[in-house]
Amino acid sequence: HYCGGSIISSDKVMCAAHCKQSTDNWTAGAGSAVMAHQRQVKNGKKQLAHPFYNSDLIDFDYMVMTVSSAWDFNAYVQPIKIVNPSDVELPNFTDCQTSGYGYTQHLGGGETLPGIIASTLQWTDIQCITIEECRKTWVLQNLTSRQQCAIVDGATSCMGDSGGPLTVM
């Protein structure tokens, strides 16, 4: 497991550009909360990062991944509902939710020791906040309208959750 993603059409998955793999030897799974038992697994075909992606500024951090064959949409596998583009910025403290199979525990030693990846899908309710509110905490960070900040006490997304969904409830 490396990153999360969201199905956006029959053969496309939206992810973060910083999740791009050096080869197309990757798979995408969907349909189960248990990571090792996905109902559908597709081979990777193509990764297309946003042409303006800037890893230094973490800007335009979007990527569309194409899988080798179409997802079979059913009760367990569906494309994510996309927020209306006219809702450029969510109001402060909008109820949202983040989910993924990222690290549930750090083992210490900085980034030299791996963390423990979740075997079942983890999620947390979180509050989406405006860029203005976010700047109160992240004063030195370059923040743009292409990013969404969110906060909650006692929980967060972590490494391995990148690229996964932030849903509006």
Side-chain angles (χ1 to χ4, degrees):
H1 177 77
Y2 191 71
C3 281
S6 298
I7 297 170
I8 58 172
S9 73
S10 63
D11 67 343
K12 305 281 190 240
V13 175
M14 178 68 92
C15 191
H18 75 264
C19 294
K20 189 172 184 181
Q21 301 294 293
S22 58
T23 70
D24 283 327
N25 187 24
W26 50 270
T27 59
S32 175
V34 179
M35 185 170 51
H37 299 289
Q38 295 303 311
R39 294 172 189 269
Q40 296 181 45
V41 176
K42 304 293 181 182
N43 289 323
K45 185 175 178 182
K46 185 178 179 183
Q47 304 168 89
L48 182 61
H50 193 286
F52 297 138
Y53 170 57
N54 183 319
S55 61
D56 293 331
L57 299 176
I58 315 171
D59 199 7
F60 293 96
D61 192 10
Y62 314 118
M63 174 171 60
V64 174
M65 306 171 82
T66 304
V67 293
S68 60
S69 61
W71 298 102
D72 177 23
F73 294 147
N74 57 42
Y76 300 100
V77 177
Q78 289 287 318
I80 195 168
K81 292 181 180 171
I82 306 294
V83 173
N84 186 334
S86 66
D87 297 335
V88 174
E89 187 171 58
L90 296 172
N92 240 351
F93 307 107
T94 297
D95 289 332
C96 295
Q97 193 173 78
T98 185
S99 59
Y101 295 100
Y103 288 173
T104 58
Q105 183 178 358
H106 290 283
L107 297 181
E111 293 190 22
T112 59
L113 294 176
I116 297 173
I117 292 288
S119 59
T120 58
L121 187 66
Q122 305 293 298
W123 60 269
T124 190
D125 293 333
I126 199 163
Q127 300 285 301
C128 288
I129 58 174
T130 63
I131 294 296
E132 181 181 339
E133 183 71 23
C134 191
R135 284 191 176 113
K136 293 176 183 176
T137 301
W138 297 95
V139 281
L140 299 178
Q141 190 71 29
N142 179 48
L143 299 172
T144 73
S145 62
R146 292 172 294 281
Q147 296 162 319
Q148 177 63 61
C149 289
I151 59 170
V152 68
D153 290 334
T156 186
S157 56
C158 198
M159 289 182 282
D161 292 326
S162 292
L166 177 67
T167 55
V168 178
M169 299 172 68

